[in-house]
């Protein structure tokens, strides 16, 4: 079931969402790449970091969301952006020096099988780097799924997009078999959030968005009320702050020379 993205909602916690991207890039040892591609570039605020790090490179970004690409084009005019599904992306083999994907592959069913295709786009000795959320067992996801399975919501939420990822060791194994030198690790961030229902604000811009868009307006209002109530109990406010633990998996692979 298709859904749209809201760049402004997504950017509500831009600093917190951007930190994993910075941590990922810190382990990419490309000195002077000529071609850099950002798969799932979103609103382009992080693609800008690629342009700034490698100013001589041709930097491009792809995203399946027209809304995100429109925002990206206004955010970073030095990069080229295109609306495209990464599953259908067909660059020349070995044409990319650095291929980056930040918090995108979790939305691609069976993305582990896509890794050989992505790696073929990378030149010998080039870099494939990605990070994916790995917190799908946490209340921010499980409470949404449990509520969506209840009537009257369930008849509208069957078959919605559901993100998923693997442990770091799985990605390491898959890329090592392909001859890559792989650095894979995980980090749990403790995001300290403020404001009214901050965890709902966070998830409504990402993981919960397909569920919310699948509901008609009247049921969406009821769902949001019930979901917020459950999230408040799972993530209590203390001294005006809410702590959101967020586990992420990182992979930096250098293609065989």
């Amino acid at each position: 079931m298709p859904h749209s993205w809201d760049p402004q909602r997504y950017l509500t916690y831009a600093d917190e969402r951007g930190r994993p991207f910075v941590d990922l890039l810190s382990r990419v040892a490309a000195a002077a790449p000529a071609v850099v591609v950002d798969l799932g570039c979103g609103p382009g605020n992080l693609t800008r970091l690629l342009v700034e790090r490698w100013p001589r490179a041709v930097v491009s970004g792809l995203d399946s969301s027209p809304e995100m690409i429109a925002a990206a084009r206004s955010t970073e005019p030095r990069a080229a952006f295109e609306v495209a599904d990464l599953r259908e992306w067909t660059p020349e083999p070995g044409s990319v020096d650095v291929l980056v994907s930040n918090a995108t592959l979790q939305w691609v069913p069976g993305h582990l099988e896509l890794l050989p295709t992505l790696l073929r786009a990378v030149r010998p000795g080039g870099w494939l780097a990605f990070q994916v959320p790995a917190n799908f067992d946490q209340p921010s996801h499980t409470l949404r799924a449990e509520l969506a399975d209840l009537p009257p919501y369930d008849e509208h939420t069957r078959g919605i997009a559901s993100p998923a990822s693997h442990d770091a060791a799985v990605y390491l194994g898959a890329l090592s078999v392909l001859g890559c030198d792989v650095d894979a690790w995980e980090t749990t961030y403790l995001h300290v959030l403020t404001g009214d229902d901050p965890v709902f604000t966070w998830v409504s811009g990402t993981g919960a968005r397909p569920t919310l868009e699948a509901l008609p307006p009247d049921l969406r209002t009821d769902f949001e009320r019930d979901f917020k109530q459950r999230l408040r109990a799972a993530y209590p406010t203390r001294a005006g702050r809410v702590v959101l633990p967020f586990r992420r998996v990182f992979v930096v692979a250098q293609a065989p020379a």
Side-chain angles (χ1 to χ4, degrees):
M1 184 180 299
H3 60 277
S4 64
W5 294 99
D6 182 345
Q8 292 307 311
R9 170 69 70 157
Y10 180 83
L11 289 169
T12 301
Y13 295 109
D15 289 345
E16 290 84 356
R17 295 191 195 279
R19 181 178 170 188
F21 188 79
V22 174
D23 292 345
L24 179 71
L25 284 187
S26 71
R27 307 291 274 272
V28 178
V35 178
V36 177
V37 177
D38 185 0
L39 290 181
C41 61
N45 59 309
L46 299 178
T47 311
R48 174 181 291 166
L49 301 181
L50 301 175
V51 174
E52 292 172 350
R53 176 169 175 180
W54 296 298
R56 295 182 181 275
V58 174
V59 178
S60 59
L62 284 72
D63 201 286
S64 62
S65 165
E67 298 88 354
M68 288 294 200
I69 290 297
R73 286 171 175 160
S74 63
T75 297
E76 183 43 74
R78 295 170 292 179
F81 294 99
E82 178 185 356
V83 178
D85 188 324
L86 65 85
R87 292 169 293 186
E88 300 171 0
W89 181 57
T90 55
E92 290 292 326
S95 61
V96 180
D97 296 288
V98 177
L99 181 56
V100 179
S101 183
N102 184 65
T104 296
L105 292 178
Q106 75 275 8
W107 290 107
V108 180
H111 65 261
L112 200 65
E113 287 70 39
L114 185 64
L115 294 183
T117 300
L118 296 181
L119 189 62
R120 278 196 292 271
V122 178
R123 69 163 178 81
W127 301 84
L128 169 63
F130 61 89
Q131 73 86 8
V132 288
N135 65 333
F136 304 116
D137 60 346
Q138 294 299 298
S140 57
H141 285 277
T142 60
L143 292 176
R144 172 196 52 78
E146 291 167 4
L147 186 59
D149 282 343
L150 297 177
Y153 311 122
D154 57 339
E155 65 178 291
H156 301 281
T157 58
R158 295 190 190 99
I160 59 167
S162 181
S165 63
H166 302 279
D167 290 339
V170 174
Y171 295 116
L172 185 149
L175 287 165
S176 295
V177 165
L178 298 174
C180 296
D181 289 331
V182 185
D183 183 8
W185 72 98
E186 66 177 59
T187 298
T188 297
Y189 297 89
L190 298 179
H191 297 303
V192 180
L193 310 179
T194 59
D196 295 332
D197 295 304
V199 178
F200 174 81
T201 299
W202 181 294
V203 300
S204 65
T206 51
R209 189 162 183 81
T211 300
L212 296 174
E213 286 210 337
L215 295 168
D218 55 336
L219 285 183
R220 187 182 308 149
T221 299
D222 293 342
F223 185 93
E224 289 183 357
R225 181 197 62 233
D226 295 343
F227 190 25
K228 287 177 181 178
Q229 184 177 39
R230 295 178 183 215
L231 288 173
R232 288 189 209 113
Y235 301 95
T237 301
R238 294 186 174 90
R241 300 177 180 181
V242 174
V243 176
L244 174 65
F246 203 122
R247 175 175 168 250
R248 293 181 183 269
V249 167
F250 299 78
V251 181
V252 175
Q254 187 171 21

